[in-house]
Amino acid sequence: MVKPLLFSFLTILFIFFHFSGNSQVSKSGPIINDFGKVYKIENPDFKIHVDKEYKAVIDVTGKPDSHSQRNPLIETAARFLNMHAQSGVPAEKLKVALVVHGAASKDVISNEAYQKRYGKDNPNTKLIKSLLQTEVPVIICGQSVTYHKIEKSDLIDGVQMALSAMTALVHLQGEGYQLIKF
């Protein structure tokens, strides 16, 4: 009775360790180290061109369900940078900008302003600051700021206010940025 149980147990352990060792693990970096985890894709059919310049503007209008959750649409910028850098595209060939508006406007206000409004720390602050330190422009819609009664002084330092999200999106696309909208 003990041998069949031991054999079953060892078989289960073998299967667990065999498959867990082969499973993909996502990782962040090398550009944004604390955010933007991605999976390595071996030998994709649609090949990446490591000598090409990649310019993307991410349209961020959605918000998470909870004021305690980080906005995954903002983290898309970190994912874009890390995924391409991990795949061999030099950092100087990667350009990303965020245009934030609508319900997502709250996600780029300072921690102090967020605490006053929602009684919690802004879960996006560290991510926004990491993106800004990496020279990712974070642009907020002036129309959304006014509609949501956000003061310019409430914004995280470095966040730029535009006349509108539409204006910023048109301008950036005119500079060769390709629109990413989810």
Side-chain angles (χ1 to χ4, degrees):
M1 178 77 177
V2 173
K3 284 187 180 185
L5 282 174
L6 181 60
F7 179 76
S8 296
F9 177 73
L10 291 174
T11 302
I12 291 169
L13 278 177
F14 171 78
I15 291 169
F16 174 77
F17 285 111
H18 176 71
F19 288 108
S20 67
N22 290 333
S23 65
Q24 284 267 330
V25 176
S26 61
K27 68 177 192 172
S28 61
I31 296 177
I32 306 289
N33 290 315
D34 295 327
F35 303 98
K37 289 183 176 183
V38 293
Y39 296 100
K40 181 137 180 85
I41 306 300
E42 298 294 336
N43 198 25
D45 296 320
F46 190 89
K47 302 293 182 197
I48 189 167
H49 298 277
V50 297
D51 56 337
K52 176 182 169 54
E53 182 176 58
Y54 290 87
K55 294 173 82 174
V57 55
I58 301 168
D59 185 16
V60 180
T61 189
K63 66 175 181 63
D65 294 332
S66 165
H67 294 301
S68 299
Q69 292 177 309
R70 191 169 52 243
N71 189 325
L73 297 175
I74 294 172
E75 194 161 6
T76 299
R79 288 179 41 244
F80 182 91
L81 292 167
N82 288 338
M83 140 176 41
H84 289 90
Q86 287 178 22
S87 297
V89 179
E92 61 272 8
K93 293 203 175 270
L94 298 170
K95 309 285 187 231
V96 179
L98 287 176
V99 175
V100 181
H101 59 107
S105 298
K106 69 169 183 56
D107 295 326
V108 297
I109 63 176
S110 70
N111 205 45
E112 296 76 26
Y114 202 91
Q115 286 173 344
K116 284 181 187 174
R117 285 179 180 244
Y118 307 110
K120 302 174 184 313
D121 287 340
N122 184 343
N124 301 287
T125 301
K126 188 174 177 188
L127 171 58
I128 295 289
K129 287 182 177 182
S130 293
L131 291 168
L132 290 168
Q133 288 172 353
T134 311
E135 298 182 18
V136 171
V138 178
I139 303 161
I140 183 85
C141 171
Q143 303 302 305
S144 295
V145 164
T146 303
Y147 177 81
H148 291 287
K149 296 176 178 43
I150 297 171
E151 298 295 323
K152 190 173 182 179
S153 61
D154 289 340
L155 300 175
I156 294 171
D157 286 339
V159 172
Q160 303 171 51
M161 187 165 52
L163 172 64
S164 69
M166 295 179 285
T167 306
L169 289 167
V170 167
H171 177 82
L172 288 163
Q173 289 176 84
E175 290 185 353
Y177 284 77
Q178 301 298 307
L179 178 64
I180 296 178
K181 182 164 180 64
F182 293 98

